[in-house]
């Protein structure tokens, strides 16, 4: 996809989820290298990216990390790769990737399944603040 920014990781997230909103804000705060851009899964661009990389959109409802021209990661693997790119001690979370994906994704899926119940759901997709607007792709 030519219209994506070069050299940036694209994080696709659930734009209605309060937990996902908090995670996006956390990543923005700790992404000192400015390596990440964000797209809601529910947006037109989010759906185009999902289709482009060949993921069944009915099977994805939380997080996807897309590195254009390189790879994509889902669920726990995406979270670990994102943590690895942040400043501070957060890259240490990537050490959990030594566990088999079926185990880490069980934990991830449990949290994802309950995220609306535990953290709530927005009535409309996340709208970025003016200061963070450039980090979101339309």
């Amino acid at each position: 996809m030519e219209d994506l920014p070069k050299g940036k990781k694209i994080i696709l997230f659930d734009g209605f989820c309060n937990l996902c909103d908090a995670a996006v804000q956390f990543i923005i705060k700790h992404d000192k290298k400015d390596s990440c851009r964000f797209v809601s899964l529910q947006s037109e661009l989010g759906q185009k990216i999902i289709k482009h990389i060949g993921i069944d959109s009915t099977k994805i409802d939380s997080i996807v990390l897309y590195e254009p021209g390189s790879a994509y990661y889902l669920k726990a693997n995406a979270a670990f790769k994102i943590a690895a790119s942040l400043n501070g001690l957060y890259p240490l979370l990537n050490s959990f990737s030594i566990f088999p994906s079926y185990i880490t994704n069980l934990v991830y899926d449990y949290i994802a399944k309950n995220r609306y119940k535990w953290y709530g759901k927005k009535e409309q997709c996340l709208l970025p603040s003016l200061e963070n607007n450039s980090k979101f792709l339309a």
Side-chain angles (χ1 to χ4, degrees):
M1 296 188 67
E2 321 69 53
D3 52 342
L4 296 178
K6 302 288 183 236
K8 301 294 182 186
K9 297 175 175 137
I10 311 299
I11 298 173
L12 295 106
F13 65 97
D14 178 351
F16 294 106
C17 170
N18 286 333
L19 175 61
C20 300
D21 178 24
V24 166
Q25 298 308 317
F26 179 87
I27 295 165
I28 289 171
K29 181 178 177 183
H30 293 91
D31 179 26
K32 301 297 184 201
K33 298 174 214 152
D34 191 34
S35 63
C36 298
R37 293 296 178 265
F38 303 90
V39 178
S40 166
L41 282 166
Q42 294 86 0
S43 71
E44 185 177 329
L45 179 57
Q47 289 300 303
K48 279 184 186 177
I49 293 170
I50 292 297
K51 185 176 180 181
H52 173 75
I53 59 181
I55 299 173
D56 180 354
S57 63
T58 63
K59 304 243 188 285
I60 289 295
D61 66 351
S62 48
I63 194 168
V64 176
L65 172 62
Y66 176 47
E67 297 176 352
S70 178
Y72 68 88
Y73 305 92
L74 308 173
K75 300 183 180 191
N77 288 333
F80 296 145
K81 291 290 185 183
I82 293 166
S85 72
L86 300 178
N87 289 13
L89 298 176
Y90 303 106
L92 294 175
L93 294 172
N94 194 35
S95 62
F96 286 105
S97 66
I98 63 167
F99 295 105
S101 291
Y102 74 90
I103 293 174
T104 56
N105 282 337
L106 276 174
V107 174
Y108 183 92
D109 287 340
Y110 180 74
I111 294 168
K113 179 181 163 192
N114 291 290
R115 69 187 186 276
Y116 294 145
K117 181 170 54 172
W118 295 341
Y119 299 97
K121 183 176 180 179
K122 297 179 182 314
E123 293 298 316
Q124 64 183 31
C125 270
L126 164 74
L127 296 174
S129 66
L130 288 175
E131 66 188 42
N132 293 327
N133 195 39
S134 65
K135 296 193 180 285
F136 291 82
L137 306 176

